[in-house]
Amino acid sequence: MSAATAAVALVSAATLAAVPDPALVVVGGAGGAVARHLLGTAVGRGEFPLGTLTVNVLGSFLLGLLVFWPVGGDALLLAGTGACGAFTTFSSFSVSTVRLWERGDRTRAALFVAGNTLLTGGAVGLAAVVVTLVGGA
Amino acid sequence: MSRDPRALAVTVALVAVGGAVGASARHLLGTALPGLWGTLAANVSGSLLLGFLLYEALRADRLGDRTRTLLATGVLSSYTTYSTFVVETVRAEPLVGVSYLLGSYALGFAAALLGRDLAARVDPRDDREVSA
């Protein structure tokens, strides 16, 4: 690690440490929710809940990077618990599945559940591979 | 969703405030309940409440767009989390991970259905609209 990156890491760690834990989750949660809403509406709202699938896969990949790097403490509260936690959503996943199923869209419901499960799992696996290749902290 | 910049600003503000509240509630629940239980409790209770809100919106829609944006898109979607759930599943012992995955799905779907039934009980009208 160069002196410059060490200094940046030290300053950012000190800055985050000065912020109380609840505020980190508040800021991360607000940012994650807004990003989910903007990306979700950009992806579109057709018959298939593609927005929810997209944020869940992307957010799981990002949380995987944070956890395997590993990032801990205040940075994990801000970016992991706050941002990635709020960016992804389980309630929209379960309610969308139930809605598709009871409307008779059973194939779409099954594809949605399988897609969320396999693609988010794959995204976390990919994050582990990326961290291994890059070297981690 | 309107393309009017002011309407977009209001929506973003509501989602941001809701997201802050929802993520904080999940964090508090996570510190109160150890291990996987905190995430499970948030995901199941959030599915129940979102199921209620969505089906209420399909029926009477007493809440209106802004309240629903705040509570559904903001609070409840941020209160529940898929990323933490998946990372916890992958990192758990295999048997625990599979149980956690299937248990979260079963309880989450059951909770969403319960929310739907509660919405029907609050407002028994317009069943045709909901089943359409």
Side-chain angles (χ1 to χ4, degrees):
Chain A
M1 192 186 288
S2 75
T5 37
V8 168
L10 197 66
V11 168
S12 53
T15 310
L16 284 181
V19 181
D21 287 0
L24 294 170
V25 178
V26 160
V27 171
V34 169
R36 163 168 46 72
H37 178 64
L38 295 178
L39 183 61
T41 45
V43 168
R45 295 191 175 175
E47 293 287 293
F48 191 81
L50 195 59
T52 300
L53 179 63
T54 306
V55 295
N56 282 348
V57 173
L58 183 57
S60 298
F61 174 71
L62 294 174
L63 185 64
L65 288 181
L66 293 172
V67 166
F68 293 124
W69 189 259
V71 170
D74 290 342
L76 189 63
L77 273 179
L78 176 71
T81 309
C84 288
F87 182 65
T88 60
T89 171
F90 189 93
S91 50
S92 298
F93 159 76
S94 55
V95 172
S96 295
T97 303
V98 163
R99 179 101 183 107
L100 283 173
W101 184 270
E102 67 157 25
R103 260 195 342 208
D105 279 346
R106 309 233 152 144
T107 309
R108 280 203 185 95
L111 278 175
F112 184 59
V113 172
N116 270 279
T117 310
L118 298 176
L119 295 178
T120 58
V124 174
L126 181 63
V129 171
V130 168
V131 169
T132 308
L133 291 177
V134 176
Chain B
M1 195 61 55
S2 169
R3 284 168 193 277
D4 168 24
R6 258 189 68 192
L8 180 64
V10 170
T11 301
V12 165
L14 290 170
V15 173
V17 170
V21 171
S24 301
R26 169 166 44 78
H27 180 55
L28 282 178
L29 199 57
T31 51
L33 296 173
L36 308 173
W37 295 108
T39 308
L40 182 66
N43 283 346
V44 173
S45 57
S47 296
L48 170 73
L49 294 170
L50 188 68
F52 177 82
L53 274 188
L54 184 125
Y55 280 95
E56 197 282 330
L58 291 172
R59 290 167 175 277
D61 196 13
R62 289 172 224 237
L63 294 176
D65 278 349
R66 287 191 176 178
T67 311
R68 204 170 48 247
T69 299
L70 174 71
L71 296 180
T73 313
V75 178
L76 292 174
S77 294
S78 307
Y79 172 63
T80 61
T81 175
Y82 204 96
S83 51
T84 304
F85 157 73
V86 167
V87 168
E88 285 171 343
T89 300
V90 168
R91 302 187 95 193
E93 297 288 321
L95 189 62
V96 174
V98 170
S99 309
Y100 181 55
L101 180 84
L102 296 178
S104 293
Y105 280 4
L107 293 173
F109 297 151
L113 285 168
L114 182 60
R116 176 197 66 174
D117 294 347
L118 288 174
R121 199 169 279 208
V122 168
D123 178 34
R125 295 169 300 161
D126 292 340
D127 251 3
R128 279 167 302 142
E129 180 72 21
V130 175
S131 58

